[in-house]
Amino acid sequence: MKKYTAAAAAIVLAAVTACGADGSDGAGDDGTLTLGFAQVGAESGWRTANTESIQQAAEEAGIDLQFSDAQQKQENQIRSIRSYIQQDVDVIAFSPVVETGWDAVLLEAQRADIPVILTDRAIDSEDDSLYETFLGSDFVEEGRKAGRWLVDNSDGPTNVVELQGTTGAAPAIDRKEGFEEAVSGSSDIEVIATQDGDFTRSGGKEVMEAFLNSHDDIDVVYAHNDDMGLGAIEAIRAAGLEPGEDIRIITVDAVRAGMEALAEGEINFIVECNPLLGEQLMELVEQVAAGEEVTKRIEVEETTFTQEEAEAALPDRQY
Ligand code: GZL
């Protein structure tokens, strides 16, 4: 009997030690936290600033960052999240490229007892226990700000073409909703065409070229991000028209290239979307890794810029 008891005790001890040694119940052996981050891609100036903010903040916080770029493909983000589960990281964070299709992989993370943080973009799920918190912007309000500016700065019939972000992405869905809500009270403002430009400069240029070929009465472009707005500027110039004058342009983000075009008069109004989420994200990583309760939705500060405001703000912009 004694022989079996000792053997059984050895097996239990080995199991417990093995479990504790792989850091599955907290930070690594030296106390360093590991964060697995699955980024959308590198599609825009905003994304670049967001990535740099996360990488710099992880370094400053002494957090080991495992980082992946999904090239705007959901299957790549899901693959990265699964690899972080396999690695048994302390926390997983990601910016969901689209709103749906995440429940299965997030359930796997939950069963592996790895907390998940959503940054930048949200998911559309019935089960909000699948993530600890969302850190990012109110995209519907961003759309409202764009629409309100147009209502306040239009005189008479105004035809708008809309360059939408990636189909199914929270910022694309919400910025469209907010803009439509804000202009719905003005019978003069009509969205005569809307199409997905995938948040990229080339996508914005291609869609704007198509709009210009099929419409000769475009007054305003509403682009869901600066990069598509900058692509539209190229198409408008190629058509022999003056951006900011013949066709006015409203965009969202306020990255450097967009702010420079605004200050030069090629863009007329920009709604800021703050990409600098890194510091707040690392604080949240430390809190959830320690098992602390965190607020379910944390929205960041952001503003808007006219051409005059852009000129004044440019010298101090971080991105
Ligand atoms: C918004 C972010 C969007 C930016 C685009 O938070 O998800 O994705 O507005 C980026 O520039 O591609």
Side-chain angles (χ1 to χ4, degrees):
M1 188 59 173
K2 221 178 228 169
K3 184 176 64 172
Y4 284 122
T5 307
I11 290 168
V12 168
L13 179 62
V16 167
T17 307
C19 173
D22 73 1
S24 60
D25 57 355
D29 297 347
D30 62 356
T32 303
L33 287 175
T34 299
L35 166 65
F37 191 91
Q39 182 59 292
V40 165
E43 74 282 1
S44 65
W46 190 97
R47 190 65 54 197
T48 302
N50 180 246
T51 291
E52 287 170 359
S53 168
I54 289 163
Q55 290 173 331
Q56 185 177 341
E59 189 177 339
E60 289 167 0
I63 289 173
D64 174 18
L65 177 65
Q66 302 297 310
F67 184 90
S68 62
D69 169 340
Q71 295 169 331
Q72 288 187 282
K73 291 181 173 54
Q74 181 173 31
E75 61 268 25
N76 291 345
Q77 279 193 301
I78 290 173
R79 189 176 304 115
S80 294
I81 292 169
R82 286 206 165 105
S83 79
Y84 297 144
I85 295 170
Q86 287 303 316
Q87 293 172 49
D88 194 22
V89 298
D90 296 295
V91 180
I92 290 171
F94 74 116
S95 171
V97 61
V98 293
E99 284 193 337
T100 56
W102 302 101
D103 283 23
V105 71
L106 295 184
L107 200 53
E108 292 168 30
Q110 191 174 70
R111 286 177 178 152
D113 198 21
I114 300 176
V116 172
I117 296 172
L118 302 182
T119 74
D120 167 30
R121 297 185 184 179
I123 64 172
D124 178 9
S125 170
E126 297 295 318
D127 182 1
D128 72 359
S129 76
L130 292 172
Y131 58 92
E132 301 305 312
T133 184
F134 163 83
L135 168 66
S137 303
D138 179 346
F139 299 134
V140 177
E141 182 57 19
E142 290 173 349
R144 290 193 195 100
K145 288 176 181 175
R148 284 197 287 260
W149 181 86
L150 188 57
V151 169
D152 295 344
N153 292 274
S154 288
D155 180 15
T158 302
N159 292 331
V160 180
V161 293
E162 182 180 32
L163 300 175
Q164 288 189 51
T166 309
T167 300
I173 294 167
D174 292 353
R175 285 171 186 168
K176 180 174 177 54
E177 177 189 326
F179 183 84
E180 286 172 353
E181 181 191 305
V183 304
S184 61
S186 163
S187 56
D188 279 340
I189 298 174
E190 183 185 355
V191 178
I192 59 173
T194 182
Q195 194 175 324
D196 176 355
D198 210 21
F199 282 128
T200 63
R201 191 166 185 153
S202 59
K205 182 180 179 185
E206 279 164 37
V207 172
M208 192 63 204
E209 284 165 349
F211 285 160
L212 288 163
N213 288 334
S214 47
H215 296 276
D216 58 7
D217 55 353
I218 299 170
D219 301 304
V220 173
V221 176
Y222 169 46
H224 289 184
N225 79 334
D226 291 351
D227 293 69
M228 292 191 292
L230 293 166
I233 286 169
E234 291 178 39
I236 291 168
R237 285 206 182 288
L241 298 169
E242 189 59 34
E245 302 285 336
D246 300 324
I247 295 180
R248 294 190 292 165
I249 301 176
I250 304 166
T251 69
V252 185
D253 276 352
V255 296
R256 180 164 295 280
M259 291 287 275
E260 285 168 348
L262 178 60
E264 283 152 24
E266 295 178 306
I267 292 178
N268 300 85
F269 187 67
I270 296 186
V271 177
E272 185 182 44
C273 177
N274 185 349
L276 305 180
L277 305 179
E279 268 185 53
Q280 284 175 279
L281 173 58
M282 296 313 146
E283 288 166 12
L284 287 165
V285 167
E286 288 164 351
Q287 288 172 305
V288 301
E292 293 174 23
E293 279 289 305
V294 291
T295 310
K296 201 69 181 174
R297 181 177 174 88
I298 303 162
E299 289 181 358
V300 293
E301 296 290 316
E302 50 199 34
T303 183
T304 59
F305 294 96
T306 62
Q307 291 171 343
E308 299 71 29
E309 290 164 343
E311 196 147 9
L314 264 168
D316 303 325
R317 294 289 286 173
Q318 294 180 60
Y319 58 92

